Amino acid sequence: MKNDIQIAQENEMLPIVNVAETLGLVEDDLKQYGKYKAKLDWNKIDSLKNESDGKLILVTAISPTPAGEGKSTMTVGLGDALSKIGKKTMIALREPSMGPTMGMKGGAAGGGYAQVQPMEEINLHFTGDMHAITTTNNALAAFIDNHIQQGNELNIDPRRITWKRVLDINDRALRNIVIGLGGATNGVPREDGFDITVASEIMAILCLATSLENLKKRLGDIVIGYNMNRKPVTVRDLQMEGALTLLLKDALEPNLVQTLYHTPAFVHGGPFANIAHGCNSVIATKTALKLADYVITEAGFGADLGAEKFLDIKTPVLEKTPDAVVMVATIRSLKMHGGAEMASLKEVEDVEAVKAGFVNLQKHIENMQRYGIPVVVGINQFVHDTPAELTALQRLCDEINIPCILASTWENGPDGGIELAEAVVDACEQSNQFQPLYIAEDTSIQEKISKIVKEIYGGSDVQYTNKAQNQMRQFARNGWGNFPVCMAKTQYSLSDDPKKLARPEGFTITIREFVPKIGAGFIVALTGDILTMPGLPKKPAALNMDVLEDGTVTGLF
Amino acid sequence: MKNDIQIAQENEMLPIVNVAETLGLVEDDLKQYGKYKAKLDWNKIDSLKNESDGKLILVTAISPTPAGEGKSTMTVGLGDALSKIGKKTMIALREPSMGPTMGMKGGAAGGGYAQVQPMEEINLHFTGDMHAITTTNNALAAFIDNHIQQGNELNIDPRRITWKRVLDINDRALRNIVIGLGGATNGVPREDGFDITVASEIMAILCLATSLENLKKRLGDIVIGYNMNRKPVTVRDLQMEGALTLLLKDALEPNLVQTLYHTPAFVHGGPFANIAHGCNSVIATKTALKLADYVITEAGFGADLGAEKFLDIKTPVLEKTPDAVVMVATIRSLKMHGGAEMASLKEVEDVEAVKAGFVNLQKHIENMQRYGIPVVVGINQFVHDTPAELTALQRLCDEINIPCILASTWENGPDGGIELAEAVVDACEQSNQFQPLYIAEDTSIQEKISKIVKEIYGGSDVQYTNKAQNQMRQFARNGWGNFPVCMAKTQYSLSDDPKKLARPEGFTITIREFVPKIGAGFIVALTGDILTMPGLPKKPAALNMDVLEDGTVTGLF
């Protein structure tokens, strides 16, 4: 069996200029980064704004197993299959973070015969967007500490600075640190910490910005902490929004690459799916809609998190709702929700577990139907799935009138996704009346959370800690009640308890604390401890990585 | 008067492909980064190795004023002038660090009508080399702390880790920090600190590496600290050299840009000139020598630091010695060395001060002659220089038979450097018998330092602190005596006292401490406190930076 990098290296890429040509783009519309990557020039993006939109297909999933459901593989393979059946298609994916690549996870550019390319570069420095975000985030941090050091005109409370530094590396030793030691010339001592770059509000902002001007406005709105009177201090107060915009100017332009089968793909932006909204950039998705007739995109984690945030946070900015949702599931995950032992998921046929676990899939389907969007279930097929298990699932979907299509894009590339592509094309033709869950401006934070918990998660109640209640009062005073809410919750359950699989009911969600992301334009509600700086395992993936004398990369999966 | 960015923005760049064509390169030899920047592909670099070398011209300076002598402006202008008189010329410059750009200094891509382009990008993210170095450096740091966290098989002493983290930003609050706080899952608490990226040993390594294999060997050799038995621990012990090489693969390829007058320039690598060797990359210089008949390069600070390191550290790796040295001086700096008040340097004619300050210039000239290299003095002309001052200097140079040429490249571009270019061409034709100061392998650390202090600085003795003496004994045990020495000394004086201007004599240099850079392949000797993480001023330059709706950059100088 070949691994991802072997498949990728055996594949011949087209020059990115040729890929761009299939979208009607010319060389001057691109800023090439080597022969196989390019940024689309801002002038071209701007010139497209009055073009009509193609169809938008959102790929999401049921509550996943720890191994994931293969959403990216499905997204890439579906894009290739749509191309193969003659549709002008683009894929719009998130870009991977390097930290996890060096640690546990390996790459994040799809897998098998459903990959975007060049995977060695997409998984590492790519076009430098992550580095630009790291730099912008840390420039702001340095300017905050310098402001205090130089007299603290804004009266910033060093104990209430919420802006943290970031690095795109898994580094647990930087989670909690003390800075500014060493005497008067070396800053003011205070507690601080580093997050991973994708957790930076700058990443969320980049992904929601609609133009350079809008980017600058959002950057100016960032609240970096509070002054001694507990009033919020913004980037605008520090007069830093111009310089920060300058540092992000190139990163705002979406990155064009190709799949193994030369379908054009934007890979741009990759915010966390818990403390942020977990979708690729608005600019990439919007531009793809102008360039192609079908655009496949993806949201992080299960549909209760990624799709809900796509629909309630990204959609209002994108000004385009999905024409169809592909709900990815695996027999493995259904069996897990149905009570089968984790260790036996691949080994033992268990039709009853598939049937019992179906309720999780069904709830996610109902949720998407609640928004008014047609759903197609895409089964990411594995060799160990048995015919009886697949038939059982098929019947259950038939009963609720949802097309359920087997796909094997990982193994077979586009050929493994033709039937799914055809079902998706059909779904896009259905009538589609989008029903938002809430109108952010007309609903209080408490009401928004209540709607998400009751209508999407299927819970019965929401509790707030004292801290969260105090914060809601403070936010109301600051005028922050109008923002959508971004839930930070486990992806393994519809509830906030990762052990409650299938379709839990009657549960209460506890909101522990809020994190205002005023630049991004949402309020994060934390339901538990969220790790914003991962650690490395005992034998990190990087120990196997190498580059040979001739430049060939090895050990990157 | 137009500022640098205005001049740059009014200038029309050629597509970098066209610039490359003048060197006999084709599009496939390049990895384009947008239309005006490219990396030269490793395969092409490798294919050039048997080509003969062009002439190498090293631009250096007398002990500078705090404002600098304009070496970069002279380097760029001289390159343009050589092009203009029909010579096939390349420039090989260091790449600027973003940190200082955001702080005090503004850009570092030349100035006036002697700039490399696109200056907005060269001064900011450029092609991402700095970011790759930051990432590589910090990945190593994370892996060190993770090794300790995961059981510390190598028995690393957390108190003796010498590998620091880095960021490309001026951030004094990160100079001295405590990491690993917050309990057992968050690492092992220890003292740490951040340097600025250009101070990383990774930068020095990148600039001295001759191939991917050599890069990997050097990275493996890095000593990250000591174990509980005080034995050095290397990157090879941590098995990280493959992954680190992978992270630097693209950064190793030199960046091709152009001057305002379309002379091709490599801008690649920029190590500190005190704790490192202060020259651009060996690969860029070597490749330029294969592509052009005349290559102009530059070394940091005055000739006692930059040129000495160029000749004793870089030259043995480059395997090519300079054919001529251009010694840059200003009337302003000569007057400063001659005892004139700083405040009056521009205002008051002072021929006597010029004459008195000449001894500094003369010592630097003698030093270059000691290596056997022909010298041309290039006077970076300012409007306030008087004819009497210039004539006085001319006469003093005539007396020692050194061509002294006025140049006004900042104001007049190539036309301001024609005479200098012609003098340089003549100097390159002189017989040239290079005499190294020492052979690193045959000389002890103490002897090497003694030679530098006595023959180059003109001092009479060297003192060592107890710490430095202990270190020398330890280094001898570790087999590190064979490396060249990299002196970290003030650039303002030939001595280690910045107040001793002109040509001090009879002084003693005190070596406070050594820093072994085993991957880079030199031993740093510290003669005083060297700041490896700058701070920001009260009103940082970034506060004026902005980008307009159409993408135009403002406030970057």
Side-chain angles (χ1 to χ4, degrees):
Chain A
M1 183 87 89
K2 287 173 192 163
N3 64 35
D4 290 355
I5 196 170
Q6 286 165 335
I7 293 170
Q9 285 172 349
E10 281 174 23
N11 180 276
E12 191 138 346
M13 286 182 276
L14 293 177
I16 197 65
V17 178
N18 300 12
V19 175
E21 270 170 17
T22 68
L23 298 168
L25 299 169
V26 298
E27 191 165 349
D28 260 358
D29 297 330
L30 305 179
K31 290 181 187 163
Q32 291 187 62
Y33 281 65
K35 207 167 168 181
Y36 304 109
K37 302 170 289 181
K39 281 187 169 283
L40 189 58
D41 193 89
W42 189 259
N43 292 325
K44 182 64 192 180
I45 296 169
D46 207 42
S47 76
L48 294 167
K49 67 179 169 223
N50 296 321
E51 301 288 321
S52 62
D53 284 332
K55 300 287 186 186
L56 179 61
I57 296 117
L58 174 64
V59 177
T60 182
I62 71 168
S63 306
T65 68
E69 298 307 284
K71 280 195 308 289
S72 298
T73 309
M74 203 69 123
T75 304
V76 173
L78 175 58
D80 282 334
L82 282 162
S83 293
K84 187 152 188 175
I85 64 172
K87 304 296 181 191
K88 191 177 180 188
T89 305
M90 270 203 89
I91 296 164
L93 286 178
R94 288 171 291 166
E95 56 185 302
S97 168
M98 196 187 304
T101 303
M102 305 294 288
M104 186 83 95
K105 181 164 174 281
Y113 289 89
Q115 293 188 55
V116 282
Q117 290 234 75
M119 73 86 92
E120 295 106 307
E121 298 178 25
I122 294 172
N123 280 311
L124 296 177
H125 304 294
F126 199 22
T127 58
D129 296 343
M130 291 285 170
H131 295 320
I133 292 167
T134 303
T135 304
T136 308
N137 184 102
N138 295 340
L140 175 54
F143 277 72
I144 294 167
D145 280 303
N146 189 57
H147 181 89
I148 296 171
Q149 171 79 4
Q150 304 281 0
N152 200 5
E153 244 171 72
L154 293 171
N155 207 16
I156 296 169
D157 185 345
R159 303 161 309 174
R160 289 197 169 82
I161 294 171
T162 48
W163 192 256
K164 291 171 77 179
R165 289 168 167 88
V166 299
L167 283 178
D168 189 12
I169 184 79
N170 293 11
D171 195 346
R172 68 161 66 74
L174 293 181
R175 283 177 192 154
N176 302 289
I177 66 175
V178 172
I179 65 168
L181 301 174
T185 59
N186 300 311
V188 174
R190 65 179 183 90
E191 289 182 50
D192 195 15
F194 279 73
D195 288 339
I196 192 160
T197 297
V198 288
S200 170
E201 186 175 350
I202 303 277
M203 172 59 95
I205 288 174
L206 189 83
C207 289
L208 288 166
T210 52
S211 67
L212 265 177
E213 273 310 289
N214 181 257
L215 176 67
K216 197 190 293 181
K217 190 218 167 268
R218 287 174 182 270
L219 291 167
D221 287 345
I222 291 174
V223 171
I224 60 95
Y226 299 86
N227 69 14
M228 291 294 186
N229 306 319
R230 307 231 184 156
K231 295 275 177 273
V233 178
T234 67
V235 165
R236 201 168 288 110
D237 295 330
L238 287 160
Q239 299 169 262
M240 278 292 288
E241 70 273 24
L244 299 187
T245 308
L246 175 57
L247 289 172
L248 292 170
K249 185 170 83 79
D250 297 333
L252 190 64
E253 295 173 335
N255 308 300
L256 182 66
V257 291
Q258 64 190 292
T259 67
L260 293 173
Y261 301 89
H262 316 307
T263 305
F266 281 138
V267 175
H268 190 224
F272 262 30
N274 44 38
I275 60 142
H277 62 295
C279 313
N280 76 315
S281 78
V282 163
I283 281 180
T285 309
K286 214 181 182 72
T287 307
L289 286 165
K290 305 299 182 188
L291 292 170
D293 298 329
Y294 288 84
V295 174
I296 326 294
T297 192
E298 180 198 342
F301 295 159
D304 53 331
L305 289 163
E308 185 271 317
K309 293 176 188 186
F310 189 97
L311 298 168
D312 294 325
I313 297 175
K314 180 170 174 174
T315 288
V317 182
L318 186 64
E319 295 176 330
K320 163 77 186 166
T321 61
D323 295 281
V325 159
V326 173
M327 183 71 66
V328 180
T330 55
I331 292 293
R332 181 174 71 182
S333 64
L334 290 165
K335 282 152 81 175
M336 180 189 73
H337 284 292
E341 291 290 320
M342 284 297 285
S344 73
L345 291 182
K346 293 184 187 177
E347 315 290 325
V348 186
E349 181 180 89
D350 192 343
V351 174
E352 289 315 306
V354 171
K355 288 182 185 168
F358 182 72
V359 292
N360 183 275
L361 176 58
Q362 193 175 359
K363 173 59 177 157
H364 288 295
I365 292 169
E366 287 168 17
N367 286 346
M368 294 302 102
Q369 290 175 321
R370 190 239 153 270
Y371 286 97
I373 311 170
V375 179
V376 175
V377 170
I379 301 301
N380 184 13
Q381 210 179 342
F382 283 77
V383 283
H384 45 73
D385 299 343
T386 73
E389 289 171 338
L390 292 166
T391 307
L393 172 59
Q394 194 78 59
R395 281 201 192 125
L396 290 163
C397 286
D398 286 349
E399 279 170 26
I400 57 168
N401 275 319
I402 293 290
C404 172
I405 317 288
L406 296 183
S408 58
T409 55
W410 188 88
E411 195 183 343
N412 300 313
D415 293 335
I418 298 285
E419 205 189 332
L420 180 64
E422 283 161 351
V424 163
V425 170
D426 288 347
C428 286
E429 298 309 318
Q430 290 176 34
S431 72
N432 177 338
Q433 191 70 52
F434 186 73
Q435 295 286 340
L437 185 64
Y438 57 75
I439 304 297
E441 294 75 13
D442 301 344
T443 326
S444 70
I445 290 175
Q446 220 153 344
E447 283 172 86
K448 281 178 262 213
I449 293 173
S450 174
K451 275 184 164 287
I452 294 169
V453 168
K454 293 178 184 164
E455 297 190 33
I456 303 298
Y457 301 166
S460 56
D461 208 359
V462 188
Q463 281 188 337
Y464 295 87
T465 62
N466 282 341
K467 178 164 188 180
Q469 287 179 30
N470 289 337
Q471 284 183 297
M472 280 194 290
R473 278 190 289 273
Q474 186 205 335
F475 291 0
R477 279 197 301 274
N478 294 341
W480 298 344
N482 289 342
F483 290 112
V485 171
C486 178
M487 298 290 284
K489 181 182 76 68
T490 176
Q491 70 264 42
Y492 296 118
S493 169
L494 282 154
S495 77
D496 61 357
D497 176 356
K499 298 202 188 73
K500 288 189 178 146
L501 301 181
R503 184 174 184 163
E505 282 177 346
F507 59 86
T508 297
I509 294 272
T510 302
I511 306 297
R512 191 167 59 79
E513 188 182 345
F514 291 100
V515 185
K517 303 275 187 187
I518 305 306
F522 53 71
I523 305 290
V524 180
L526 299 178
T527 66
D529 288 324
I530 301 289
L531 208 58
T532 48
M533 173 53 98
L536 288 165
K538 181 149 188 174
K539 297 276 179 208
L543 299 189
N544 300 314
M545 293 179 187
D546 202 358
V547 52
L548 309 182
E549 206 165 341
D550 67 355
T552 305
V553 176
T554 62
L556 183 66
F557 300 111
Chain B
M1 183 87 88
K2 287 174 191 160
N3 64 36
D4 289 355
I5 195 168
Q6 287 166 333
I7 292 170
Q9 286 172 349
E10 282 174 22
N11 180 275
E12 192 139 346
M13 284 183 277
L14 293 177
I16 197 66
V17 178
N18 301 12
V19 175
E21 268 169 18
T22 67
L23 297 168
L25 298 170
V26 298
E27 191 164 348
D28 261 357
D29 298 330
L30 305 179
K31 291 181 187 162
Q32 292 186 62
Y33 281 64
K35 206 167 168 181
Y36 305 107
K37 302 171 288 181
K39 282 188 169 280
L40 188 57
D41 192 89
W42 188 259
N43 292 325
K44 182 64 191 179
I45 295 168
D46 207 41
S47 77
L48 294 168
K49 66 179 169 224
N50 297 320
E51 300 289 318
S52 62
D53 284 333
K55 300 288 187 186
L56 180 61
I57 296 117
L58 174 64
V59 177
T60 182
I62 71 168
S63 305
T65 68
E69 298 307 284
K71 281 196 306 291
S72 299
T73 309
M74 202 68 122
T75 304
V76 173
L78 174 58
D80 282 333
L82 281 162
S83 294
K84 187 150 189 177
I85 63 172
K87 303 296 180 189
K88 191 176 179 189
T89 305
M90 270 203 89
I91 296 164
L93 285 178
R94 288 171 291 166
E95 54 186 303
S97 168
M98 195 186 304
T101 303
M102 305 294 288
M104 186 84 94
K105 183 165 173 283
Y113 290 88
Q115 294 188 54
V116 283
Q117 289 236 74
M119 74 84 93
E120 295 106 306
E121 300 178 25
I122 294 172
N123 280 312
L124 296 177
H125 304 294
F126 198 22
T127 58
D129 295 343
M130 291 286 169
H131 295 320
I133 293 167
T134 303
T135 304
T136 308
N137 184 103
N138 295 339
L140 175 53
F143 278 71
I144 294 167
D145 280 301
N146 189 57
H147 181 89
I148 297 172
Q149 172 79 5
Q150 303 282 0
N152 201 5
E153 242 171 73
L154 293 170
N155 207 18
I156 297 169
D157 185 344
R159 304 161 307 174
R160 289 197 170 82
I161 294 170
T162 48
W163 192 256
K164 291 171 79 179
R165 289 169 165 87
V166 300
L167 283 178
D168 189 13
I169 182 80
N170 293 10
D171 195 346
R172 67 161 66 74
L174 294 181
R175 283 176 192 155
N176 303 289
I177 67 175
V178 172
I179 65 168
L181 301 174
T185 60
N186 299 312
V188 175
R190 66 179 184 89
E191 289 181 51
D192 195 15
F194 279 72
D195 287 339
I196 192 160
T197 297
V198 288
S200 170
E201 186 176 350
I202 304 277
M203 172 59 94
I205 287 174
L206 189 84
C207 289
L208 289 167
T210 52
S211 67
L212 265 177
E213 273 311 289
N214 181 256
L215 175 67
K216 197 190 291 179
K217 191 219 165 268
R218 288 175 182 270
L219 290 167
D221 287 345
I222 291 174
V223 171
I224 60 96
Y226 299 86
N227 68 14
M228 291 294 185
N229 306 318
R230 308 231 184 155
K231 295 275 178 269
V233 178
T234 66
V235 166
R236 201 168 288 109
D237 295 330
L238 288 161
Q239 300 169 258
M240 279 291 288
E241 70 274 24
L244 300 188
T245 309
L246 175 56
L247 289 172
L248 291 170
K249 184 170 83 79
D250 297 333
L252 190 64
E253 295 173 333
N255 308 301
L256 182 65
V257 292
Q258 63 191 293
T259 68
L260 293 174
Y261 300 89
H262 317 307
T263 305
F266 281 138
V267 175
H268 191 225
F272 261 32
N274 44 38
I275 60 142
H277 62 294
C279 314
N280 77 315
S281 78
V282 163
I283 282 180
T285 308
K286 214 181 183 70
T287 307
L289 286 165
K290 305 299 184 189
L291 292 169
D293 299 328
Y294 288 83
V295 174
I296 325 294
T297 191
E298 180 198 342
F301 294 158
D304 53 331
L305 288 163
E308 185 272 317
K309 293 175 188 187
F310 189 98
L311 298 169
D312 293 326
I313 297 175
K314 180 170 176 175
T315 288
V317 182
L318 185 64
E319 296 175 328
K320 164 77 186 163
T321 60
D323 295 282
V325 159
V326 173
M327 183 70 66
V328 180
T330 54
I331 292 292
R332 177 174 74 182
S333 63
L334 290 165
K335 283 153 79 175
M336 178 189 74
H337 285 292
E341 291 291 321
M342 285 295 287
S344 73
L345 292 182
K346 293 186 189 176
E347 315 290 324
V348 186
E349 180 179 89
D350 192 344
V351 174
E352 290 314 306
V354 171
K355 288 181 186 171
F358 181 73
V359 290
N360 182 275
L361 176 58
Q362 191 175 1
K363 173 59 178 156
H364 288 294
I365 293 169
E366 287 169 16
N367 287 346
M368 295 301 102
Q369 290 176 321
R370 189 239 153 269
Y371 287 97
I373 311 170
V375 179
V376 175
V377 170
I379 301 301
N380 184 12
Q381 209 179 344
F382 283 77
V383 282
H384 45 75
D385 299 343
T386 73
E389 290 170 338
L390 292 165
T391 308
L393 172 58
Q394 195 77 58
R395 282 201 190 126
L396 289 162
C397 286
D398 287 349
E399 280 170 23
I400 57 168
N401 273 317
I402 292 290
C404 172
I405 316 288
L406 295 183
S408 57
T409 56
W410 187 90
E411 195 183 343
N412 300 313
D415 293 335
I418 299 286
E419 203 189 334
L420 180 63
E422 282 162 350
V424 164
V425 170
D426 288 347
C428 286
E429 299 309 318
Q430 287 175 37
S431 71
N432 176 339
Q433 192 69 51
F434 186 73
Q435 295 286 343
L437 185 64
Y438 57 75
I439 304 297
E441 294 75 13
D442 302 344
T443 325
S444 70
I445 291 176
Q446 219 153 343
E447 283 171 86
K448 282 177 262 214
I449 293 173
S450 173
K451 274 182 164 288
I452 295 170
V453 168
K454 291 176 185 165
E455 297 190 33
I456 303 299
Y457 301 166
S460 56
D461 208 0
V462 189
Q463 280 188 336
Y464 296 86
T465 61
N466 283 340
K467 176 163 190 181
Q469 288 179 28
N470 289 336
Q471 284 184 298
M472 280 195 289
R473 277 190 290 271
Q474 187 206 336
F475 292 0
R477 279 197 301 274
N478 294 340
W480 297 344
N482 290 341
F483 291 113
V485 171
C486 178
M487 298 291 284
K489 181 183 75 68
T490 177
Q491 71 264 41
Y492 296 119
S493 169
L494 282 154
S495 77
D496 60 358
D497 176 356
K499 297 202 189 75
K500 287 189 177 142
L501 301 181
R503 185 174 182 163
E505 281 176 348
F507 58 87
T508 297
I509 294 273
T510 302
I511 306 296
R512 191 168 59 80
E513 188 182 343
F514 290 101
V515 185
K517 303 275 187 187
I518 305 306
F522 53 70
I523 305 290
V524 180
L526 300 179
T527 65
D529 289 324
I530 301 289
L531 209 57
T532 49
M533 173 55 97
L536 288 165
K538 182 150 189 172
K539 297 276 179 209
L543 300 189
N544 300 315
M545 294 179 188
D546 202 359
V547 52
L548 308 182
E549 206 165 343
D550 67 354
T552 304
V553 176
T554 61
L556 183 66
F557 300 111

